[in-house]
């Protein structure tokens, strides 16, 4: 089974929503089309404090949505606008991720499991947004994917495979380990979408998402999984291999 491949998921459960507009937004630059969804964790003690921070004009940060531990979704910036959630970084050659993305903050301290109601609400919200804007599963990424040298959210406790099973993200096929090659590993990840970065930075970002329990030097399993990501989801697949 190729996790994350296939059609856009269908919309499911009705969500509990609260309108809590943030003043921190601007226009999407250059008429950019929404093609990405970036997931974050708040790294704050509570959703209430996170909402206050994201609505404080002095902090100049925001997100389109925040999902509380209870599953309640705070609507903060209209999708038509550019929220200030991604910052410096890039994904698949896009250097202005804010203009092409929707940002979703998840109430989590970065070290604890994500609450079950939060995950259920996220899955429903993702399905709605992906259907509305025709975003493919490969377009759902973490903050650590597009800014691997400075960000770690949504972190090692986030269940990316769970999303992939519902076609809400992608997951690599666990092929047999292959020969270790630092340069090829970096090329595989950059073809998948990661920005140009050092081996250590890319390996950490890759493992945060796809092998959260792994540690140590680059190994054959990292190589195999990165090769599958590049082969099936690469931005420049060879003819007949997509």
């Amino acid at each position: 089974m190729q996790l994350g491949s296939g059609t856009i998921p269908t919309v499911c459960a009705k969500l509990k929503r609260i309108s809590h507009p943030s003043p921190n937004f601007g226009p999407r630059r250059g008429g950019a089309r929404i093609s990405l969804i970036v997931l974050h964790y708040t790294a704050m003690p509570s959703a209430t404090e996170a909402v206050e921070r994201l609505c404080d004009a002095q902090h100049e940060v925001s997100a389109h949505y925040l999902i509380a531990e209870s599953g309640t979704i705070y609507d903060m910036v209209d999708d038509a606008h550019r929220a200030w959630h991604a910052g410096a970084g890039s994904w698949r050659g896009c250097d202005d991720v804010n203009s092409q993305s929707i940002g979703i903050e998840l109430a989590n301290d970065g070290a604890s499991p994500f609450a079950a109601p939060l995950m259920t609400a996220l899955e429903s919200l993702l399905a709605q947004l992906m259907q509305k804007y025709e975003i493919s599963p490969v377009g759902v990424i973490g903050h650590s994917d597009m800014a691997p040298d400075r960000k770690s959210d949504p972190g090692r406790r986030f269940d990316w495979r769970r999303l992939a099973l519902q076609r809400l993200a992608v997951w690599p096929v666990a092929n047999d380990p292959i020969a270790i090659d630092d340069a090829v590993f970096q090329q595989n990840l950059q073809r998948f979408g990661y920005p140009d970065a050092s081996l250590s930075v890319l390996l950490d970002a890759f493992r945060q998402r796809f092998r959260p329990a792994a540690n140590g030097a680059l190994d054959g399993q990292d190589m195999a999984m990165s090769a599958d990501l590049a082969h099936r989801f690469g931005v420049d697949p060879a003819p007949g291999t997509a």
Side-chain angles (χ1 to χ4, degrees):
M1 179 181 180
Q2 294 188 352
L3 298 184
S5 59
T7 58
I8 297 172
T10 56
V11 173
C12 41
K14 184 177 180 180
L15 304 172
K16 181 179 179 182
R17 313 285 284 262
I18 294 176
S19 177
H20 202 298
S22 171
N24 301 332
F25 64 87
R28 293 188 181 274
R29 296 169 180 167
R33 183 183 73 85
I34 297 171
S35 60
L36 298 171
I37 299 174
V38 183
L39 304 183
H40 308 257
Y41 57 51
T42 58
M44 298 188 73
S46 70
T48 300
E49 291 178 67
V51 169
E52 292 176 355
R53 174 68 62 87
L54 293 167
C55 292
D56 186 339
Q58 292 186 349
H59 286 287
E60 298 185 343
V61 294
S62 62
H64 293 90
Y65 305 96
L66 181 145
I67 306 179
E69 299 91 335
S70 64
T72 298
I73 297 175
Y74 291 84
D75 298 320
M76 309 186 77
V77 174
D78 189 278
D79 293 351
H81 300 309
R82 180 181 182 273
W84 305 336
H85 62 95
S90 68
W91 184 256
R92 296 196 163 204
C94 170
D95 295 325
D96 183 4
V97 173
N98 278 335
S99 285
Q100 293 191 16
S101 68
I102 288 174
I104 302 177
E105 289 278 356
L106 308 175
N108 182 273
D109 61 10
S112 304
F114 286 76
L118 179 155
M119 291 298 296
T120 299
L122 172 63
E123 290 158 356
S124 292
L125 179 61
L126 284 175
Q128 291 182 11
L129 293 171
M130 293 168 72
Q131 185 179 71
K132 182 176 182 179
Y133 298 109
E134 299 183 344
I135 299 171
S136 69
V138 76
V140 180
I141 65 173
H143 203 185
S144 58
D145 293 323
M146 50 83 49
D149 58 340
R150 64 186 188 87
K151 292 296 180 180
S152 60
D153 50 322
R156 285 176 164 79
R157 302 304 298 267
F158 186 76
D159 194 346
W160 282 102
R161 193 172 188 276
R162 169 174 167 163
L163 295 189
L165 285 167
Q166 300 175 73
R167 301 190 306 277
L168 299 171
V170 298
W171 193 262
V173 175
N175 296 314
D176 292 334
I178 61 177
I180 298 170
D181 187 312
D182 294 358
V184 171
F185 177 75
Q186 290 176 273
Q187 291 166 8
N188 286 341
L189 292 195
Q190 288 167 18
R191 187 178 176 197
F192 175 54
Y194 285 92
D196 185 14
S198 68
L199 173 64
S200 61
V201 166
L202 288 178
L203 179 60
D204 183 58
F206 167 82
R207 284 180 171 174
Q208 283 184 53
R209 178 166 172 179
F210 297 112
R211 298 188 70 197
N215 53 59
L218 176 70
D219 63 28
Q221 191 63 50
D222 297 315
M223 291 296 303
M225 294 173 74
S226 71
D228 181 70
L229 291 172
H231 174 75
R232 289 195 293 128
F233 306 113
V235 292
D236 58 345
T241 65

